[in-house]
Amino acid sequence: MSAKPDTATPASSAAAVGPRRLRADAARNRQRLIDAAAEVFAERGLDATLDDIARHAGVNVATAYRHFANKHELAREFLRQCVDQAVAIAEEAAAEPDPWAGLTHFLERSLELIAHNRALVDVLKRAYGAEQFAELLERTTAALEQLLARARAAGVVREDVAATDFPPILEMLAAITGLGIPGVPAVPHRYIGLVLAGLRPGQDRLPSKPPSQELLRRVAQTKPERLQGAGSLT
């Protein structure tokens, strides 16, 4: 009579443990895909496919599609982290006691982030979409405005520069980061120096007003090829 409980117990235990193991395996595969996506997107940009990410993660392509419908689901999570990093840099810069040191910190750290992340370059150049660019603009503007206000009060920055000038500046720097090409990393730092020199007071007044946030958002929603010949940002 006691044999029945004895023989049933291992089967019951296996049935109970089996699903837990599957869930743990699924969770590990999902995390491997997320980690792989961060590396692949940073190295290759947002043109990388879900198949590329699956191969990099060492999982079956079918497994990748069970977790994510397409690469965009992975990209959104990765880009959210990129935006968080960019915002942290702006906030650190705004917290610098010396506002000029804060501006230098912002440009140098932003360049460092861009140089190691091709996906962020895609965002700055609006090659992926407007959502992340708009979020980056919205979340960094207040910190940069605070930093510029302190810099103007200290007399170290020209009066006609605004926080909205920085996204185009970063896009220009992104164009010359080299993204891993030997010997190129020193070049952008030269242009950071040139940008900083241009931010100093005593220069000729800039030829137009800073772009508005609304204009930058509209530009972000426009495909890059449609911007050719569209005129200035004023």
Side-chain angles (χ1 to χ4, degrees):
M1 297 293 293
S2 62
K4 285 186 178 180
D6 291 339
T7 55
T9 300
S12 301
S13 299
V17 171
R20 283 199 297 272
R21 285 177 176 166
L22 288 174
R23 285 194 294 271
D25 289 345
R28 280 195 295 272
N29 284 336
R30 181 182 177 84
Q31 189 57 49
R32 285 169 70 182
L33 286 162
I34 292 171
D35 293 343
E39 294 176 5
V40 171
F41 285 141
E43 180 181 350
R44 305 185 200 175
L46 295 166
D47 285 338
T49 66
L50 190 55
D51 291 17
D52 295 331
I53 294 164
R55 282 193 293 272
H56 193 75
V59 304
N60 188 282
V61 172
T63 300
Y65 281 95
R66 279 199 297 272
H67 288 287
F68 300 98
N70 51 55
K71 73 168 184 181
H72 303 296
E73 291 186 4
L74 271 169
R76 278 193 293 271
E77 177 58 33
F78 172 63
L79 289 174
R80 188 176 299 115
Q81 297 173 13
C82 292
V83 171
D84 287 345
Q85 289 177 298
V87 171
I89 289 172
E91 291 175 345
E92 288 168 7
E96 279 278 353
D98 179 345
W100 185 254
L103 284 169
T104 304
H105 172 93
F106 173 73
L107 289 172
E108 289 183 344
R109 287 291 312 283
S110 295
L111 177 63
E112 181 182 343
L113 182 61
I114 290 167
H116 293 89
N117 193 336
R118 189 179 291 271
L120 190 55
V121 175
D122 287 345
V123 172
L124 288 169
K125 293 185 175 180
R126 303 168 303 280
Y128 185 72
E131 180 183 344
Q132 286 76 24
F133 181 86
E135 182 183 356
L136 184 66
L137 179 66
E138 180 179 349
R139 292 179 59 195
T140 57
T141 296
L144 292 174
E145 284 177 344
Q146 176 188 344
L147 178 58
L148 284 172
R150 291 174 50 230
R152 290 190 203 98
V156 295
V157 168
R158 58 192 303 153
E159 295 288 333
D160 54 351
V161 172
T164 51
D165 284 311
F166 284 97
I169 288 172
L170 292 177
E171 183 178 348
M172 288 187 288
L173 290 173
I176 53 170
T177 55
L179 293 166
I181 300 173
V184 173
V187 174
H189 288 283
R190 171 181 173 83
Y191 291 100
I192 284 181
L194 187 58
V195 169
L196 288 169
L199 292 175
R200 289 284 193 184
Q203 312 286 332
D204 290 340
R205 190 162 185 83
L206 293 170
S208 59
K209 294 180 180 179
S212 66
Q213 287 194 47
E214 177 56 30
L215 178 57
L216 288 178
R217 290 192 187 96
R218 289 208 323 266
V219 170
Q221 291 166 357
T222 305
K223 294 295 184 184
E225 59 271 16
R226 290 176 57 194
L227 293 174
Q228 294 179 1
S232 67
L233 290 175
T234 58

